Amino acid sequence: MTASPWEPYRPDASSPWDLERAWTLRRRAGFGATWGELERDIADGPGPAVDRVLAGECRLDGVPADFGRVAGLIGDAAAGSSDARRLQAWWIYRCLFTPDPLLERLTLAWHDHFATSQLKVEDVAAMRAQNETLRRLARGPFADLVHAMVRDPALLYWLDAPSNKKGKPNENLARELMELFVLGVGNYSEADVKEAARALTGRTVIQGAFRVREADRDDGAKAILDRTGRFDGEALVDHLVAQPAAADRLAWRLCATFLGEGVADATARAELAARLRSDGLHVGRGVATVLRSRLFFSSTNLHARVADPIGFVVGAARALERFDPPPSTLLLAEWLARMGQELFFPPNVGGWPGGRGWLTGRAVVARANFASALVEGHLNPSPAIPDLRGLAARHGRGGGREALGFFAGLLAGRPLEAAELDRVAHGVEGPGSDASRLGRAVALLLAAAECQVC
């Protein structure tokens, strides 16, 4: 009998628990790790390492004691402004310093799934409120999340829900609810969309809060996906998440979030969907299944995913322990935008393209320039050059080639070929101190192809 790809991973000679697998876990389920965190995870084994990620307790370094209070203050100030850049900076602060990076990774996945843009909403407070809702429900039953989103003021504005009225339906919310949020293309008809739009009539926003305007609501019978009833919005969501296709859609989203492109084939996704269906579409337990699985730690899943800009940026900052002084999160938000990921401004209702779409010519240049800015200390209001030799020394590494090998493992999650290390070493030959040459070498490493995947 063939073993299930979702059975728990057990290290063996062909797939040992090592730096590559510990690094992959921390990059995919969060935003990277420090060397100390990686060493602890490797020493403790995959079970404790995954347990800590799932429990939100995986970070040893760079977590302020008053993280919750400071994050709340920054978020409140951003929501009270009309400046979306401050909201972006707030979320990056959370990703950089939270004790629970998996929660931020899931919040980002749901931001991509229920893609809503400030470009049309034009309400920073509403976008912050949506983000908090995504975070609060990120690990729970999928149905709770969908119910919350069809009541979310930012999403309702984004998809024109207030103009959806009895006798004058607007189908935008109904169409995306079926196509993108719950079922996927091919699992409903145009007639279903029209009837679902009737069920969603009357939903509006009054003084920033969700309301149902009874005068605009169509309370007649509707025929949706082989069932007829007097559906309202809540009954419609219950009916949609009960469809077999909802589990397929959720399985697709979890695989797209945590696995490399094409790693989970149709059979693997179908088996994960069956498990989700039998478990009430519980997101948190589905995530645990993925992160503990043989498939997640298989050799085909290592370095098989193009790093998204926020993983690239926050992962590099954390790996180099840029905690004191920390980088300006306003500047980090600007770098993310140059790399094609402007938080709270997804390009369309389908979210970001992801995969190789992250590596446009402009984005590759931006990644290389970011690497230089990071090691030259230009991410702080006042230049603060990181002490890379000191960082290597703290972790028992000398200078020269030994330091280069250390940073390759830290940033790429694996040893690099000797020829690649030679290329980097030759690329920084010339005048300057040992420290400046090491800085330039780390920038070249971070810009290398091996550091664009995770």
Side-chain angles (χ1 to χ4, degrees):
M1 178 182 288
T2 303
S4 165
W6 305 113
E7 290 301 304
Y9 161 68
R10 301 277 186 266
D12 57 27
S14 63
S15 56
W17 176 244
D18 54 11
L19 171 65
E20 284 188 279
R21 289 175 172 81
W23 185 90
T24 299
L25 171 67
R26 298 299 298 274
R27 280 298 296 266
R28 300 275 185 85
F31 304 91
T34 65
W35 190 253
E37 291 165 353
L38 290 171
E39 284 191 315
R40 178 203 54 184
D41 288 351
I42 294 168
D44 289 353
V50 176
D51 286 347
R52 282 192 288 264
V53 167
L54 294 171
E57 299 170 348
C58 63
R59 283 184 170 172
L60 280 173
D61 305 310
V63 179
D66 57 351
F67 167 77
R69 183 185 67 82
V70 174
L73 288 174
I74 297 172
D76 290 346
S81 75
S82 58
D83 188 350
R85 294 175 304 169
R86 296 178 63 179
L87 200 63
Q88 294 170 334
W90 162 71
W91 197 0
I92 293 170
Y93 175 87
R94 293 194 62 93
C95 295
L96 192 56
F97 293 112
T98 178
D100 187 1
L102 175 60
L103 182 58
E104 298 307 318
R105 178 55 77 182
L106 284 169
T107 304
L108 184 64
W110 295 128
H111 177 48
D112 197 28
H113 190 85
F114 298 98
T116 305
S117 176
Q118 164 71 359
L119 188 65
K120 180 176 177 180
V121 176
E122 296 183 321
D123 187 333
V124 173
M127 295 298 291
R128 193 270 181 112
Q130 185 193 74
N131 188 270
E132 294 285 20
T133 299
L134 296 175
R135 183 172 295 103
R136 177 169 54 85
L137 300 174
R139 286 180 161 120
F142 185 54
D144 291 355
L145 188 58
V146 180
H147 273 293
M149 284 299 102
V150 297
R151 300 164 66 94
D152 179 75
L155 188 71
L156 296 182
Y157 274 133
W158 172 240
L159 294 177
D160 306 311
S163 65
N164 183 27
K165 301 176 181 178
K166 180 180 181 179
K168 298 178 181 178
N170 182 307
E171 297 171 2
N172 283 358
L173 176 58
R175 186 174 303 281
E176 306 312 348
L177 182 62
M178 290 182 156
E179 179 177 330
L180 296 174
F181 303 160
V182 182
L183 301 180
V185 175
N187 295 300
Y188 58 89
S189 68
E190 280 301 301
D192 290 323
V193 172
K194 293 181 183 301
E195 292 289 85
R198 290 179 57 211
L200 293 165
T201 50
R203 294 188 164 237
T204 192
V205 179
I206 298 176
Q207 295 183 334
F210 165 74
R211 294 285 186 274
V212 174
R213 199 187 296 273
E214 288 298 327
D216 293 332
R217 191 169 73 84
D218 183 341
D219 64 352
K222 298 101 178 171
I224 303 171
L225 294 167
D226 300 325
R227 186 175 140 198
T228 299
R230 300 170 76 89
F231 288 99
D232 61 9
E234 305 306 320
L236 172 65
V237 169
D238 288 338
H239 187 42
L240 295 184
V241 297
Q243 301 297 311
D248 298 337
R249 188 68 177 164
L250 179 56
W252 168 83
R253 173 52 69 184
L254 296 187
C255 291
T257 299
F258 296 108
L259 300 179
E261 290 182 75
V263 169
D265 60 19
T267 302
R269 289 198 307 274
E271 183 180 336
L272 180 60
R275 291 183 180 219
L276 289 164
R277 196 175 300 119
S278 67
D279 195 24
L281 303 189
H282 194 280
V283 175
R285 292 194 287 269
V287 171
T289 295
V290 173
L291 296 184
R292 294 188 192 282
S293 70
R294 292 173 54 248
L295 187 60
F296 183 82
F297 290 108
S298 66
S299 57
T300 57
N301 191 42
L302 302 178
H303 315 290
R305 182 181 180 85
V306 176
D308 58 4
I310 193 167
F312 178 77
V313 165
V314 174
R318 285 198 59 80
L320 298 184
E321 302 183 19
R322 306 302 297 135
F323 304 132
D324 187 18
S328 161
T329 54
L330 279 168
L331 290 177
L332 294 186
E334 292 178 9
W335 280 107
L336 287 185
R338 293 176 201 173
M339 297 176 197
Q341 190 174 31
E342 194 171 7
L343 299 177
F344 298 103
F345 291 86
N348 53 56
V349 292
W352 285 279
R356 292 172 178 78
W358 289 128
L359 298 180
T360 63
R362 180 172 179 267
V364 169
V365 171
R367 288 182 183 222
N369 289 339
F370 168 79
S372 295
L374 177 62
V375 302
E376 291 169 2
H378 294 316
L379 299 180
N380 300 75
S382 298
I385 298 175
D387 179 9
L388 297 177
R389 288 203 305 173
L391 177 62
R394 285 202 301 279
H395 295 294
R397 304 307 196 279
R401 191 69 168 229
E402 189 178 13
L404 204 54
F406 165 72
F407 284 108
L410 181 62
L411 297 171
R414 53 182 159 173
L416 295 191
E417 297 289 336
E420 178 61 14
L421 291 181
D422 287 342
R423 183 190 71 80
V424 173
H426 292 322
V428 298
E429 288 179 346
S433 65
D434 290 345
S436 67
R437 278 192 290 274
L438 180 59
R440 296 200 302 273
V442 170
L444 284 177
L445 277 175
L446 191 52
E450 290 84 353
C451 289
Q452 311 315 311
V453 293
C454 63

